[in-house]
Tab-separated table of all heavy atoms in Angstrom:
chain	number	residue	atom	x	y	z
A	1	LEU	N	7.920	-20.438	8.228
A	1	LEU	CA	6.777	-19.600	8.552
A	1	LEU	C	6.863	-18.278	7.875
A	1	LEU	O	5.853	-17.781	7.291
A	1	LEU	CB	6.601	-19.446	10.039
A	1	LEU	CG	5.427	-18.592	10.586
A	1	LEU	CD1	4.019	-19.175	10.057
A	1	LEU	CD2	5.453	-18.497	12.035
A	2	ILE	N	8.015	-17.703	7.937
A	2	ILE	CA	8.248	-16.310	7.309
A	2	ILE	C	7.996	-16.450	5.800
A	2	ILE	O	7.309	-15.598	5.200
A	2	ILE	CB	9.669	-15.765	7.579
A	2	ILE	CG1	9.773	-15.388	9.075
A	2	ILE	CG2	9.906	-14.569	6.750
A	2	ILE	CD1	11.116	-15.053	9.511
A	3	TYR	N	8.505	-17.441	5.255
A	3	TYR	CA	8.329	-17.781	3.749
A	3	TYR	C	6.864	-17.845	3.311
A	3	TYR	O	6.348	-17.266	2.348
A	3	TYR	CB	9.087	-18.924	3.277
A	3	TYR	CG	10.490	-18.636	3.069
A	3	TYR	CD1	11.552	-19.706	3.435
A	3	TYR	CD2	11.064	-17.449	2.600
A	3	TYR	CE1	12.920	-19.501	3.309
A	3	TYR	CE2	12.448	-17.325	2.534
A	3	TYR	CZ	13.391	-18.309	2.853
A	3	TYR	OH	14.651	-18.070	2.719
A	4	LEU	N	6.080	-18.619	4.193
A	4	LEU	CA	4.745	-18.876	3.921
A	4	LEU	C	3.861	-17.556	4.051
A	4	LEU	O	2.906	-17.332	3.395
A	4	LEU	CB	4.129	-19.973	4.807
A	4	LEU	CG	4.597	-21.359	4.364
A	4	LEU	CD1	3.874	-22.446	5.210
A	4	LEU	CD2	4.385	-21.662	2.829
A	5	LEU	N	4.291	-16.734	5.065
A	5	LEU	CA	3.645	-15.495	5.255
A	5	LEU	C	3.851	-14.557	4.076
A	5	LEU	O	3.008	-13.710	3.592
A	5	LEU	CB	4.044	-14.820	6.599
A	5	LEU	CG	3.554	-15.450	7.781
A	5	LEU	CD1	4.134	-14.781	9.045
A	5	LEU	CD2	2.056	-15.471	7.933
A	6	LEU	N	5.087	-14.637	3.571
A	6	LEU	CA	5.508	-13.923	2.300
A	6	LEU	C	4.666	-14.384	1.234
A	6	LEU	O	4.310	-13.607	0.187
A	6	LEU	CB	6.978	-13.897	2.124
A	6	LEU	CG	7.852	-13.037	3.105
A	6	LEU	CD1	9.323	-13.405	2.933
A	6	LEU	CD2	7.583	-11.617	2.918
A	7	VAL	N	4.450	-15.725	1.072
A	7	VAL	CA	3.568	-16.248	0.001
A	7	VAL	C	2.280	-15.611	0.074
A	7	VAL	O	1.698	-15.132	-0.943
A	7	VAL	CB	3.407	-17.818	0.195
A	7	VAL	CG1	2.316	-18.264	-0.719
A	7	VAL	CG2	4.694	-18.557	-0.195
A	8	GLY	N	1.590	-15.547	1.223
A	8	GLY	CA	0.331	-14.875	1.379
A	8	GLY	C	0.374	-13.445	1.026
A	8	GLY	O	-0.513	-12.862	0.431
A	9	LEU	N	1.455	-12.689	1.464
A	9	LEU	CA	1.518	-11.282	1.185
A	9	LEU	C	1.627	-11.037	-0.300
A	9	LEU	O	1.068	-10.120	-0.850
A	9	LEU	CB	2.795	-10.722	1.903
A	9	LEU	CG	2.952	-9.236	1.945
A	9	LEU	CD1	1.754	-8.581	2.634
A	9	LEU	CD2	4.203	-8.830	2.590
A	10	CYS	N	2.479	-11.853	-1.030
A	10	CYS	CA	2.631	-11.660	-2.483
A	10	CYS	C	1.405	-12.013	-3.181
A	10	CYS	O	1.004	-11.362	-4.092
A	10	CYS	CB	3.709	-12.578	-2.912
A	10	CYS	SG	5.431	-12.027	-2.531
A	11	ALA	N	0.687	-13.053	-2.753
A	11	ALA	CA	-0.613	-13.485	-3.349
A	11	ALA	C	-1.675	-12.332	-3.201
A	11	ALA	O	-2.340	-11.969	-4.171
A	11	ALA	CB	-1.148	-14.733	-2.737
A	12	ALA	N	-1.783	-11.794	-2.029
A	12	ALA	CA	-2.686	-10.673	-1.835
A	12	ALA	C	-2.323	-9.421	-2.608
A	12	ALA	O	-3.200	-8.779	-3.273
A	12	ALA	CB	-2.688	-10.301	-0.308
A	13	GLY	N	-0.956	-9.171	-2.690
A	13	GLY	CA	-0.462	-8.018	-3.511
A	13	GLY	C	-0.841	-8.268	-4.988
A	13	GLY	O	-1.268	-7.335	-5.735
A	14	GLY	N	-0.677	-9.474	-5.434
A	14	GLY	CA	-0.973	-9.768	-6.823
A	14	GLY	C	-2.455	-9.653	-7.112
A	14	GLY	O	-2.872	-9.129	-8.146
A	15	GLN	N	-3.300	-10.121	-6.236
A	15	GLN	CA	-4.768	-10.127	-6.393
A	15	GLN	C	-5.272	-8.600	-6.466
A	15	GLN	O	-6.096	-8.219	-7.363
A	15	GLN	CB	-5.550	-10.872	-5.300
A	15	GLN	CG	-5.456	-12.362	-5.540
A	15	GLN	CD	-6.278	-13.089	-4.406
A	15	GLN	OE1	-6.080	-12.903	-3.174
A	15	GLN	NE2	-7.266	-13.880	-4.834
A	16	PHE	N	-4.837	-7.853	-5.516
A	16	PHE	CA	-5.354	-6.456	-5.385
A	16	PHE	C	-4.741	-5.665	-6.623
A	16	PHE	O	-5.385	-4.738	-7.119
A	16	PHE	CB	-4.998	-5.798	-4.055
A	16	PHE	CG	-5.945	-6.318	-3.029
A	16	PHE	CD1	-5.490	-7.102	-1.952
A	16	PHE	CD2	-7.286	-5.887	-2.938
A	16	PHE	CE1	-6.311	-7.557	-0.955
A	16	PHE	CE2	-8.021	-6.343	-1.911
A	16	PHE	CZ	-7.589	-7.107	-0.926
A	17	SER	N	-3.512	-5.948	-7.018
A	17	SER	CA	-2.927	-5.172	-8.090
A	17	SER	C	-3.547	-5.447	-9.365
A	17	SER	O	-3.806	-4.518	-10.196
A	17	SER	CB	-1.388	-5.536	-8.224
A	17	SER	OG	-0.667	-5.108	-7.053
A	18	ILE	N	-3.909	-6.726	-9.679
A	18	ILE	CA	-4.560	-7.074	-10.974
A	18	ILE	C	-5.994	-6.553	-10.906
A	18	ILE	O	-6.562	-6.161	-12.024
A	18	ILE	CB	-4.509	-8.538	-11.164
A	18	ILE	CG1	-4.610	-8.846	-12.744
A	18	ILE	CG2	-5.548	-9.383	-10.443
A	18	ILE	CD1	-4.222	-10.286	-13.114
A	19	THR	N	-6.646	-6.552	-9.830
A	19	THR	CA	-7.988	-5.884	-9.706
A	19	THR	C	-7.952	-4.453	-10.068
A	19	THR	O	-8.685	-3.894	-10.771
A	19	THR	CB	-8.594	-6.069	-8.277
A	19	THR	OG1	-8.659	-7.485	-8.008
A	19	THR	CG2	-9.936	-5.477	-8.185
A	20	ALA	N	-6.901	-3.737	-9.479
A	20	ALA	CA	-6.694	-2.278	-9.727
A	20	ALA	C	-6.349	-2.128	-11.184
A	20	ALA	O	-6.895	-1.114	-11.830
A	20	ALA	CB	-5.554	-1.710	-8.859
A	21	ALA	N	-5.571	-2.940	-11.802
A	21	ALA	CA	-5.218	-2.836	-13.191
A	21	ALA	C	-6.406	-2.745	-14.099
A	21	ALA	O	-6.440	-1.958	-14.998
A	21	ALA	CB	-4.181	-3.917	-13.576
A	22	TYR	N	-7.304	-3.745	-13.848
A	22	TYR	CA	-8.506	-3.740	-14.742
A	22	TYR	C	-9.553	-2.744	-14.405
A	22	TYR	O	-10.542	-2.609	-15.147
A	22	TYR	CB	-9.049	-5.243	-14.689
A	22	TYR	CG	-8.183	-6.252	-15.423
A	22	TYR	CD1	-7.732	-7.390	-14.764
A	22	TYR	CD2	-7.716	-5.989	-16.720
A	22	TYR	CE1	-6.971	-8.345	-15.345
A	22	TYR	CE2	-6.959	-6.910	-17.310
A	22	TYR	CZ	-6.501	-8.044	-16.683
A	22	TYR	OH	-5.681	-8.932	-17.347
A	23	SER	N	-9.369	-2.019	-13.411
A	23	SER	CA	-10.242	-0.867	-13.081
A	23	SER	C	-9.687	0.361	-13.796
A	23	SER	O	-10.480	1.311	-14.078
A	23	SER	CB	-10.217	-0.581	-11.580
A	23	SER	OG	-9.049	-0.009	-11.094
A	24	PHE	N	-8.415	0.422	-14.108
A	24	PHE	CA	-7.859	1.496	-14.918
A	24	PHE	C	-8.009	1.320	-16.368
A	24	PHE	O	-8.175	2.279	-17.125
A	24	PHE	CB	-6.376	1.613	-14.565
A	24	PHE	CG	-6.030	2.218	-13.268
A	24	PHE	CD1	-5.240	1.604	-12.272
A	24	PHE	CD2	-6.567	3.478	-12.882
A	24	PHE	CE1	-4.992	2.158	-11.040
A	24	PHE	CE2	-6.244	4.050	-11.604
A	24	PHE	CZ	-5.453	3.383	-10.737
A	25	ALA	N	-7.966	0.109	-16.915
A	25	ALA	CA	-7.867	-0.144	-18.306
A	25	ALA	C	-8.556	-1.451	-18.621
A	25	ALA	O	-8.420	-2.428	-17.809
A	25	ALA	CB	-6.530	-0.039	-18.918
A	26	PRO	N	-9.233	-1.608	-19.841
A	26	PRO	CA	-9.816	-2.940	-20.124
A	26	PRO	C	-8.845	-3.928	-20.463
A	26	PRO	O	-7.694	-3.664	-20.740
A	26	PRO	CB	-10.664	-2.594	-21.353
A	26	PRO	CG	-10.049	-1.346	-21.961
A	26	PRO	CD	-9.506	-0.616	-20.780
A	27	SER	N	-9.325	-5.259	-20.273
A	27	SER	CA	-8.340	-6.391	-20.446
A	27	SER	C	-7.658	-6.385	-21.823
A	27	SER	O	-6.512	-6.646	-21.932
A	27	SER	CB	-9.226	-7.636	-20.263
A	27	SER	OG	-8.375	-8.749	-20.671
A	28	ARG	N	-8.407	-5.970	-22.872
A	28	ARG	CA	-7.899	-5.948	-24.251
A	28	ARG	C	-6.624	-5.100	-24.417
A	28	ARG	O	-5.825	-5.280	-25.348
A	28	ARG	CB	-8.905	-5.596	-25.222
A	28	ARG	CG	-9.382	-4.183	-25.151
A	28	ARG	CD	-10.440	-3.799	-26.200
A	28	ARG	NE	-10.912	-2.470	-26.067
A	28	ARG	CZ	-11.883	-2.055	-25.308
A	28	ARG	NH1	-12.465	-2.943	-24.514
A	28	ARG	NH2	-12.206	-0.733	-25.221
A	29	GLU	N	-6.470	-4.081	-23.586
A	29	GLU	CA	-5.314	-3.081	-23.706
A	29	GLU	C	-4.100	-3.492	-22.831
A	29	GLU	O	-3.066	-3.071	-23.168
A	29	GLU	CB	-5.842	-1.773	-23.288
A	29	GLU	CG	-6.923	-1.067	-24.183
A	29	GLU	CD	-7.269	0.281	-23.713
A	29	GLU	OE1	-6.692	0.800	-22.727
A	29	GLU	OE2	-8.078	0.942	-24.465
A	30	ILE	N	-4.290	-4.266	-21.807
A	30	ILE	CA	-3.172	-4.484	-20.813
A	30	ILE	C	-2.932	-5.948	-20.522
A	30	ILE	O	-1.885	-6.248	-19.945
A	30	ILE	CB	-3.415	-3.742	-19.533
A	30	ILE	CG1	-4.655	-4.171	-18.749
A	30	ILE	CG2	-3.493	-2.275	-19.791
A	30	ILE	CD1	-4.798	-3.559	-17.428
A	31	SER	N	-3.842	-6.928	-20.952
A	31	SER	CA	-3.712	-8.318	-20.453
A	31	SER	C	-2.434	-8.917	-20.850
A	31	SER	O	-1.803	-9.733	-20.185
A	31	SER	CB	-4.865	-9.111	-20.851
A	31	SER	OG	-4.966	-9.152	-22.277
A	32	ILE	N	-1.888	-8.567	-22.010
A	32	ILE	CA	-0.677	-9.165	-22.520
A	32	ILE	C	0.546	-8.916	-21.662
A	32	ILE	O	1.407	-9.788	-21.526
A	32	ILE	CB	-0.367	-8.600	-23.942
A	32	ILE	CG1	0.687	-9.522	-24.618
A	32	ILE	CG2	0.125	-7.151	-23.869
A	32	ILE	CD1	0.231	-10.864	-24.939
A	33	TYR	N	0.480	-7.856	-20.848
A	33	TYR	CA	1.626	-7.564	-19.926
A	33	TYR	C	1.682	-8.540	-18.760
A	33	TYR	O	2.731	-8.585	-18.047
A	33	TYR	CB	1.568	-6.122	-19.428
A	33	TYR	CG	1.688	-5.122	-20.539
A	33	TYR	CD1	0.549	-4.526	-21.134
A	33	TYR	CD2	2.937	-4.700	-21.033
A	33	TYR	CE1	0.695	-3.616	-22.153
A	33	TYR	CE2	3.055	-3.773	-22.033
A	33	TYR	CZ	1.906	-3.228	-22.619
A	33	TYR	OH	2.080	-2.378	-23.643
């Protein structure tokens, strides 16, 4: 159960981080990272 909650936490962190990334810079400049 702890591992699956961590799956969800990581997934949410990934989604919000990538959304923030593309609000700072366009895809053509950072997508390769």
Side-chain angles (χ1 to χ4, degrees):
L1 176 60
I2 291 172
Y3 283 143
L4 288 186
L5 291 175
L6 288 171
V7 165
L9 190 62
C10 287
Q15 282 185 305
F16 283 110
S17 295
I18 203 165
T19 299
Y22 290 126
S23 70
F24 284 124
S27 172
R28 65 179 180 275
E29 293 183 2
I30 63 173
S31 60
I32 194 65
Y33 295 97

